[in-house]
Amino acid sequence: LFVLAGPSYVGKKTALYHFIKLYSFSSIIPYTTKADPNRTGEGIHYHYIQECDSAEIENEDKFIFDKPFDIGDEYHSNDLYAYNKSDIENSIKSHANFIIHASVGNAIKIHESFKDNYESQIYIIFLRYDSDLTEDFFTTKCPYGVGTENYKKRFLHAKKEMYGYNTH
């Protein structure tokens, strides 16, 4: 199992699709409580769970989950991103090539949860920027205008992910 982690706009999804298309990797579909009113990506990009039903994926016996956009006082988000532990274990046991993209928090939790039985079968790959993460540098990566709410959220998320990587 390959786990891609890294900050916003570093290329996790691009790398994921590259491995799937060119090397016939399979992927595990994550669960999320983030809003998608049209459900356009249901079962492809995510399994969408209503925030009011989030207790289902906050069960630590069954799921690994993180709130990567909850950045303390600066920006708060209840959006959960999760992987079913049995999906992860089944992918490892299958001996097939699986790849997922995850927050640094989820990558760390995947490693911690499965290292005793499968450490040699889990590879965490952290994608990082080739330059220091500054607001000027990030404006070249982020398609949103500086000062917009989404820009701020993504920039703070990128800083949080870089910090998580550097401390682990």
Side-chain angles (χ1 to χ4, degrees):
L1 174 68
F2 293 85
V3 180
L4 294 174
S8 289
Y9 303 112
V10 75
K12 294 182 300 287
K13 286 185 182 174
T14 300
L16 176 92
Y17 295 136
H18 178 82
F19 278 88
I20 290 171
K21 184 175 181 180
L22 293 178
Y23 302 110
S24 300
F25 275 60
S26 296
S27 186
I28 301 169
I29 300 170
Y31 292 77
T32 186
T33 58
K34 78 175 187 172
D36 182 12
N38 299 323
R39 300 278 197 237
T40 55
E42 176 60 43
I44 299 169
H45 301 291
Y46 293 102
H47 295 294
Y48 293 95
I49 305 293
Q50 297 296 320
E51 188 175 338
C52 60
D53 298 329
S54 66
E56 178 182 348
I57 61 176
E58 289 182 274
N59 179 342
E60 292 182 349
D61 292 331
K62 294 183 180 182
F63 286 89
I64 290 172
F65 63 91
D66 187 23
K67 293 181 180 180
F69 291 101
D70 189 6
I71 309 164
D73 294 338
E74 296 180 76
Y75 186 86
H76 179 71
S77 172
N78 286 323
D79 291 343
L80 290 168
Y81 294 82
Y83 284 94
N84 187 311
K85 286 183 176 181
S86 66
D87 289 346
I88 293 171
E89 187 166 19
N90 290 337
S91 72
I92 294 169
K93 286 181 176 180
S94 75
H95 300 289
N97 289 323
F98 275 82
I99 189 163
I100 60 174
H101 73 284
S103 64
V104 169
N106 273 340
I108 292 165
K109 289 176 183 180
I110 288 169
H111 177 261
E112 289 300 314
S113 295
F114 293 96
K115 71 180 181 182
D116 291 342
N117 296 321
Y118 304 109
E119 186 166 30
S120 66
Q121 295 165 288
I122 298 174
Y123 303 92
I124 297 176
I125 302 165
F126 185 80
L127 302 176
R128 54 175 295 132
Y129 302 118
D130 58 355
S131 297
D132 290 335
L133 178 59
T134 64
E135 194 161 351
D136 286 340
F137 170 75
F138 195 71
T139 57
T140 65
K141 298 289 181 188
C142 182
Y144 305 103
V146 175
T148 65
E149 186 64 24
N150 209 346
Y151 176 85
K152 180 180 177 184
K153 175 177 83 169
R154 292 293 182 160
F155 181 63
L156 292 172
H157 169 260
K159 287 172 54 175
K160 178 183 176 183
E161 294 292 277
M162 292 297 292
Y163 175 79
Y165 167 74
N166 289 329
T167 57
H168 289 92

